[in-house]
Coordinates of all heavy atoms in Angstrom, one line a residue:
M1 N -99.5 -12.2 8.5 CA -100.3 -13.3 9.1 C -101.6 -13.5 8.3 O -102.2 -12.5 8.0 CB -100.6 -13.1 10.5 CG -99.4 -13.4 11.4 SD -99.8 -13.4 13.2 CE -100.0 -11.6 13.5
N2 N -101.9 -14.7 8.0 CA -103.1 -15.0 7.2 C -104.1 -15.8 8.0 O -105.2 -16.1 7.4 CB -102.7 -15.8 6.0 CG -101.7 -15.1 5.1 OD1 -101.9 -13.9 4.8 ND2 -100.6 -15.7 4.7
G3 N -103.9 -16.0 9.2 CA -104.9 -16.9 10.0 C -106.0 -16.1 10.5 O -106.3 -14.9 10.0
Y4 N -106.8 -16.7 11.4 CA -107.9 -16.0 12.0 C -108.1 -16.5 13.4 O -107.5 -17.5 13.8 CB -109.1 -16.1 11.1 CG -109.5 -17.5 10.8 CD1 -110.4 -18.3 11.6 CD2 -108.9 -18.2 9.7 CE1 -110.7 -19.6 11.3 CE2 -109.2 -19.5 9.4 CZ -110.1 -20.2 10.2 OH -110.4 -21.5 9.9
I5 N -108.9 -15.8 14.1 CA -109.2 -16.2 15.5 C -110.6 -16.8 15.7 O -111.5 -16.3 15.1 CB -109.0 -14.9 16.4 CG1 -107.6 -14.5 16.4 CG2 -109.5 -15.2 17.8 CD1 -107.3 -13.2 17.1
I6 N -110.6 -17.9 16.4 CA -111.9 -18.6 16.6 C -112.2 -18.4 18.1 O -111.3 -18.3 19.0 CB -111.9 -20.0 16.2 CG1 -110.8 -20.8 17.0 CG2 -111.6 -20.2 14.7 CD1 -111.0 -22.3 17.0
V7 N -113.5 -18.5 18.4 CA -114.0 -18.5 19.8 C -114.6 -19.9 20.1 O -115.4 -20.4 19.4 CB -115.1 -17.4 19.9 CG1 -115.6 -17.4 21.4 CG2 -114.7 -16.1 19.4
L8 N -114.0 -20.5 21.2 CA -114.5 -21.8 21.5 C -114.5 -21.9 23.1 O -113.5 -21.8 23.7 CB -113.5 -22.8 21.0 CG -114.0 -24.3 20.8 CD1 -115.1 -24.3 19.8 CD2 -112.8 -25.1 20.3
G9 N -115.7 -22.0 23.6 CA -115.8 -22.2 25.1 C -115.7 -20.9 25.8 O -115.2 -20.8 26.9
C10 N -116.3 -19.8 25.2 CA -116.4 -18.5 25.9 C -117.2 -18.6 27.1 O -118.3 -19.1 27.1 CB -117.0 -17.5 24.9 SG -117.2 -15.9 25.7
K11 N -116.7 -18.0 28.2 CA -117.4 -18.1 29.5 C -118.1 -16.8 29.8 O -118.6 -16.6 30.9 CB -116.4 -18.4 30.6 CG -115.6 -19.7 30.5 CD -116.5 -20.8 31.0 CE -115.7 -22.1 31.2 NZ -115.4 -22.8 30.0
K12 N -118.2 -15.9 28.8 CA -119.0 -14.7 28.9 C -118.5 -13.8 30.1 O -119.3 -13.1 30.7 CB -120.4 -15.0 29.1 CG -121.0 -15.9 28.0 CD -122.5 -16.1 28.2 CE -123.1 -17.1 27.1 NZ -124.5 -17.2 27.2
C13 N -117.2 -13.8 30.4 CA -116.7 -13.0 31.5 C -116.6 -11.5 31.3 O -116.5 -10.8 32.2 CB -115.4 -13.6 32.0 SG -114.0 -13.3 30.9
G14 N -116.4 -11.2 30.0 CA -116.3 -9.8 29.7 C -114.9 -9.2 29.8 O -114.7 -8.0 29.5
K15 N -113.9 -10.0 30.1 CA -112.6 -9.4 30.2 C -112.0 -8.9 28.9 O -111.1 -8.0 28.9 CB -111.6 -10.6 30.8 CG -111.9 -11.0 32.2 CD -111.1 -10.1 33.2 CE -111.5 -10.3 34.6 NZ -111.6 -11.7 35.0
C16 N -112.5 -9.4 27.8 CA -112.0 -9.0 26.5 C -112.7 -7.7 26.0 O -112.4 -7.2 24.9 CB -112.1 -10.1 25.5 SG -113.8 -10.6 25.3
D17 N -113.7 -7.2 26.7 CA -114.5 -6.1 26.2 C -113.8 -4.9 25.7 O -114.2 -4.3 24.7 CB -115.5 -5.7 27.3 CG -116.8 -6.6 27.3 OD1 -116.9 -7.5 26.4 OD2 -117.6 -6.4 28.2
S18 N -112.7 -4.5 26.4 CA -112.1 -3.2 26.0 C -110.8 -3.3 25.3 O -110.1 -2.3 25.1 CB -111.9 -2.4 27.3 OG -111.1 -3.1 28.3
V19 N -110.3 -4.5 25.0 CA -109.0 -4.7 24.4 C -108.9 -4.5 22.9 O -107.8 -4.2 22.4 CB -108.3 -6.0 24.8 CG1 -108.2 -6.1 26.3 CG2 -109.1 -7.2 24.2
C20 N -110.0 -4.6 22.2 CA -110.0 -4.6 20.8 C -110.1 -3.2 20.2 O -111.0 -2.5 20.5 CB -111.1 -5.5 20.2 SG -111.0 -5.6 18.4
N21 N -109.1 -2.8 19.4 CA -109.0 -1.4 18.9 C -109.7 -1.3 17.5 O -109.8 -0.2 17.0 CB -107.6 -0.9 18.8 CG -106.9 -0.8 20.2 OD1 -107.6 -0.5 21.1 ND2 -105.6 -1.0 20.3
T22 N -110.0 -2.4 16.9 CA -110.5 -2.4 15.6 C -112.1 -2.5 15.5 O -112.6 -2.4 14.4 CB -109.9 -3.5 14.7 OG1 -110.3 -4.7 15.2 CG2 -108.4 -3.4 14.8
G23 N -112.7 -2.9 16.6 CA -114.1 -3.1 16.5 C -114.5 -4.5 16.0 O -115.6 -4.8 15.7
A24 N -113.5 -5.4 15.9 CA -113.7 -6.7 15.4 C -114.3 -7.7 16.5 O -115.0 -8.6 16.1 CB -112.4 -7.3 15.0
L25 N -114.1 -7.3 17.7 CA -114.5 -8.2 18.8 C -115.8 -7.6 19.5 O -115.8 -6.5 20.0 CB -113.4 -8.3 19.9 CG -113.7 -9.1 21.1 CD1 -114.1 -10.5 20.8 CD2 -112.5 -9.1 22.0
E26 N -116.9 -8.3 19.4 CA -118.1 -7.9 20.1 C -118.6 -9.1 20.8 O -118.2 -10.3 20.6 CB -119.1 -7.4 19.1 CG -119.6 -8.4 18.1 CD -120.8 -7.8 17.3 OE1 -121.2 -6.7 17.5 OE2 -121.3 -8.5 16.4
R27 N -119.5 -8.9 21.7 CA -120.2 -10.0 22.5 C -121.6 -10.0 22.2 O -122.3 -9.0 22.3 CB -119.9 -9.9 23.9 CG -118.4 -10.2 24.2 CD -118.1 -10.6 25.6 NE -118.4 -9.6 26.6 CZ -119.1 -9.8 27.7 NH1 -119.6 -10.9 28.0 NH2 -119.4 -8.7 28.5
V28 N -122.1 -11.2 21.8 CA -123.5 -11.4 21.4 C -124.1 -12.3 22.5 O -123.7 -13.5 22.6 CB -123.6 -11.9 20.0 CG1 -125.1 -12.2 19.7 CG2 -123.0 -11.0 19.0
D29 N -125.1 -11.8 23.2 CA -125.7 -12.6 24.3 C -124.5 -13.0 25.3 O -124.6 -14.1 25.9 CB -126.4 -13.8 23.9 CG -127.7 -13.4 23.1 OD1 -128.2 -12.3 23.4 OD2 -128.2 -14.1 22.3
G30 N -123.5 -12.2 25.4 CA -122.4 -12.5 26.3 C -121.2 -13.2 25.7 O -120.1 -13.2 26.2
T31 N -121.5 -13.9 24.6 CA -120.4 -14.7 24.0 C -119.6 -13.8 23.0 O -120.2 -13.1 22.2 CB -121.0 -15.9 23.2 OG1 -121.7 -16.7 24.2 CG2 -119.9 -16.7 22.6
A32 N -118.3 -13.9 23.0 CA -117.4 -13.2 22.1 C -117.6 -13.7 20.7 O -117.8 -14.8 20.4 CB -116.0 -13.3 22.5
R33 N -117.6 -12.7 19.8 CA -117.7 -13.0 18.4 C -116.7 -12.1 17.6 O -116.6 -10.9 17.9 CB -119.1 -12.7 17.8 CG -119.3 -13.2 16.4 CD -120.7 -13.4 16.0 NE -121.3 -12.0 15.9 CZ -122.7 -11.9 15.7 NH1 -123.5 -12.9 15.7 NH2 -123.2 -10.7 15.6
I34 N -116.0 -12.7 16.7 CA -114.9 -12.0 15.9 C -115.4 -11.7 14.5 O -115.8 -12.6 13.8 CB -113.6 -12.8 15.8 CG1 -113.2 -13.3 17.2 CG2 -112.5 -12.0 15.2 CD1 -112.6 -12.3 18.1
D35 N -115.3 -10.4 14.1 CA -115.5 -10.1 12.7 C -114.1 -10.2 12.0 O -113.3 -9.3 12.2 CB -116.1 -8.6 12.6 CG -116.3 -8.2 11.2 OD1 -115.7 -8.8 10.2 OD2 -117.2 -7.3 11.0
H36 N -114.0 -11.2 11.2 CA -112.7 -11.5 10.6 C -112.3 -10.4 9.6 O -111.1 -10.2 9.4 CB -112.6 -12.9 9.9 CG -112.9 -14.0 10.9 ND1 -112.1 -14.3 12.0 CD2 -114.0 -14.9 10.9 CE1 -112.6 -15.3 12.6 NE2 -113.8 -15.7 12.0
G37 N -113.2 -9.7 9.1 CA -112.9 -8.6 8.2 C -112.3 -7.4 8.9 O -111.6 -6.7 8.2
K38 N -112.6 -7.3 10.1 CA -112.0 -6.1 10.9 C -110.8 -6.5 11.7 O -110.0 -5.6 12.1 CB -113.1 -5.6 11.8 CG -114.3 -4.9 11.1 CD -115.3 -4.4 12.2 CE -116.5 -3.8 11.5 NZ -117.5 -3.4 12.5
C39 N -110.7 -7.7 12.0 CA -109.6 -8.2 12.9 C -108.2 -8.0 12.3 O -108.0 -8.4 11.2 CB -109.8 -9.6 13.3 SG -108.5 -10.3 14.4
N40 N -107.3 -7.4 13.0 CA -105.9 -7.2 12.5 C -104.9 -8.2 13.1 O -103.7 -8.0 13.0 CB -105.4 -5.8 12.6 CG -105.3 -5.4 14.1 OD1 -105.4 -6.2 15.0 ND2 -105.0 -4.1 14.3
L41 N -105.5 -9.2 13.9 CA -104.6 -10.2 14.5 C -103.6 -9.7 15.5 O -102.5 -10.2 15.6 CB -104.0 -11.1 13.4 CG -104.9 -11.8 12.4 CD1 -104.1 -12.5 11.4 CD2 -105.8 -12.8 13.2
C42 N -104.0 -8.7 16.2 CA -103.1 -8.1 17.2 C -102.9 -9.0 18.4 O -101.9 -8.8 19.1 CB -103.6 -6.7 17.7 SG -105.0 -6.9 18.8
M43 N -103.8 -9.9 18.6 CA -103.7 -11.0 19.7 C -104.0 -10.5 21.1 O -103.8 -11.2 22.0 CB -102.3 -11.7 19.7 CG -101.9 -12.2 18.3 SD -103.0 -13.6 17.8 CE -102.4 -13.9 16.2
R44 N -104.4 -9.2 21.2 CA -104.6 -8.7 22.5 C -105.8 -9.4 23.2 O -105.7 -9.7 24.4 CB -105.0 -7.2 22.4 CG -103.8 -6.3 22.1 CD -104.2 -5.0 21.6 NE -105.1 -4.2 22.4 CZ -104.8 -3.2 23.2 NH1 -103.5 -2.8 23.1 NH2 -105.6 -2.5 23.9
C45 N -106.8 -9.8 22.5 CA -107.9 -10.6 23.1 C -107.5 -11.9 23.6 O -107.9 -12.4 24.6 CB -109.1 -10.7 22.1 SG -108.6 -11.4 20.5
I46 N -106.6 -12.6 22.8 CA -106.1 -13.9 23.2 C -105.3 -13.8 24.5 O -105.5 -14.6 25.4 CB -105.2 -14.5 22.1 CG1 -106.1 -14.9 20.9 CG2 -104.4 -15.7 22.6 CD1 -105.4 -15.6 19.7
V47 N -104.5 -12.8 24.6 CA -103.7 -12.6 25.8 C -104.5 -12.4 27.0 O -104.2 -12.9 28.1 CB -102.7 -11.5 25.6 CG1 -101.9 -11.2 26.8 CG2 -101.7 -11.9 24.5
I48 N -105.6 -11.6 26.9 CA -106.3 -11.2 28.1 C -107.4 -12.3 28.5 O -107.8 -12.3 29.7 CB -107.0 -9.9 27.9 CG1 -107.2 -9.2 29.3 CG2 -108.3 -10.0 27.1 CD1 -107.5 -7.8 29.2
C49 N -107.8 -13.1 27.6 CA -108.9 -14.1 28.0 C -108.4 -15.1 29.0 O -107.4 -15.9 28.8 CB -109.3 -14.8 26.7 SG -110.6 -16.1 27.1
P50 N -109.0 -15.1 30.2 CA -108.5 -16.0 31.3 C -109.0 -17.4 31.0 O -108.6 -18.3 31.8 CB -109.2 -15.4 32.5 CG -110.4 -14.7 32.0 CD -110.1 -14.3 30.6
N51 N -109.8 -17.7 30.1 CA -110.4 -19.0 29.8 C -109.9 -19.7 28.6 O -110.4 -20.7 28.2 CB -112.0 -18.8 29.8 CG -112.5 -18.2 31.1 OD1 -112.3 -18.8 32.1 ND2 -113.1 -17.1 31.0
K52 N -108.9 -19.1 27.9 CA -108.4 -19.6 26.7 C -109.4 -20.0 25.7 O -109.4 -21.0 25.0 CB -107.5 -20.9 27.0 CG -106.4 -20.6 28.0 CD -105.4 -21.8 28.0 CE -104.3 -21.7 29.1 NZ -103.7 -20.4 29.3
A53 N -110.4 -19.1 25.6 CA -111.5 -19.3 24.7 C -111.2 -18.8 23.3 O -112.0 -19.0 22.3 CB -112.8 -18.6 25.2
L54 N -110.2 -18.0 23.1 CA -109.8 -17.4 21.8 C -108.5 -18.1 21.3 O -107.6 -18.1 22.1 CB -109.6 -15.9 22.0 CG -110.9 -15.2 22.4 CD1 -110.5 -13.8 22.9 CD2 -111.9 -15.1 21.4
K55 N -108.6 -18.6 20.1 CA -107.4 -19.3 19.6 C -107.1 -18.8 18.2 O -108.0 -18.5 17.4 CB -107.7 -20.8 19.5 CG -107.9 -21.4 20.9 CD -107.7 -22.9 20.9 CE -108.1 -23.5 22.3 NZ -107.5 -22.9 23.4
Y56 N -105.8 -18.7 17.9 CA -105.4 -18.3 16.6 C -105.2 -19.5 15.7 O -104.5 -20.5 16.1 CB -104.1 -17.5 16.7 CG -103.4 -17.2 15.3 CD1 -104.0 -16.3 14.4 CD2 -102.3 -17.9 14.9 CE1 -103.5 -16.1 13.2 CE2 -101.7 -17.6 13.7 CZ -102.3 -16.7 12.9 OH -101.7 -16.5 11.6
L57 N -105.8 -19.6 14.6 CA -105.7 -20.7 13.6 C -105.0 -20.2 12.4 O -105.3 -19.1 11.8 CB -107.0 -21.3 13.2 CG -107.8 -22.1 14.2 CD1 -109.0 -22.6 13.6 CD2 -107.0 -23.1 14.9
E58 N -104.0 -20.9 11.9 CA -103.3 -20.5 10.7 C -104.0 -21.0 9.5 O -104.7 -22.0 9.5 CB -101.8 -21.0 10.7 CG -101.0 -20.3 11.7 CD -99.5 -20.6 11.5 OE1 -98.9 -20.1 10.5 OE2 -99.0 -21.4 12.3
Ligands
SF4_1 S1 -106.9 -10.1 17.6 FE1 -106.9 -7.9 18.1 S2 -108.1 -7.0 16.4 FE2 -108.5 -9.2 16.4 S3 -110.4 -9.4 17.6 FE3 -108.6 -9.7 19.0 S4 -108.2 -7.7 19.9 FE4 -109.5 -7.4 18.1
SF4_2 S1 -112.4 -12.9 27.9 FE1 -112.6 -14.9 27.0 S2 -114.2 -16.0 28.2 FE2 -114.3 -13.8 28.7 S3 -115.9 -13.0 27.3 FE3 -113.9 -12.7 26.3 S4 -113.6 -14.5 25.0 FE4 -115.3 -15.0 26.5

């Protein structure tokens, strides 16, 4: 996969806090932020986000 994940409309709920195994996902002032260099596109964060704030773009 060559795409990446974007954050749009994060509700700062924290549900994604513990799902990322690579350290790519962190929250800054509550809002999720993805380090594309670390992300392996496992999609765990997308699956767990109840607000559909994380999207995969090809
Ligand atoms: S897709 Fe996987 S590796 Fe990338 S930020 Fe989400 S949980 Fe972390
Ligand atoms: S689970 Fe979704 S809405 Fe909640 S902090 Fe993470 S990205 Fe934001």
Side-chain angles (χ1 to χ4, degrees):
M1 281 189 286
N2 299 314
Y4 54 94
I5 292 173
I6 62 164
V7 182
L8 201 62
C10 175
K11 299 282 196 279
K12 307 182 179 183
C13 71
K15 292 271 170 51
C16 60
D17 276 354
S18 59
V19 299
C20 183
N21 292 331
T22 67
L25 175 58
E26 63 172 0
R27 290 201 298 131
V28 178
D29 293 334
T31 299
R33 188 164 70 189
I34 311 285
D35 181 335
H36 300 299
K38 293 180 180 174
C39 177
N40 66 4
L41 300 175
C42 73
M43 307 295 172
R44 286 159 58 104
C45 56
I46 288 182
V47 171
I48 203 164
C49 178
N51 301 300
K52 301 193 188 320
L54 300 164
K55 298 196 188 310
Y56 172 70
L57 289 186
E58 290 190 74

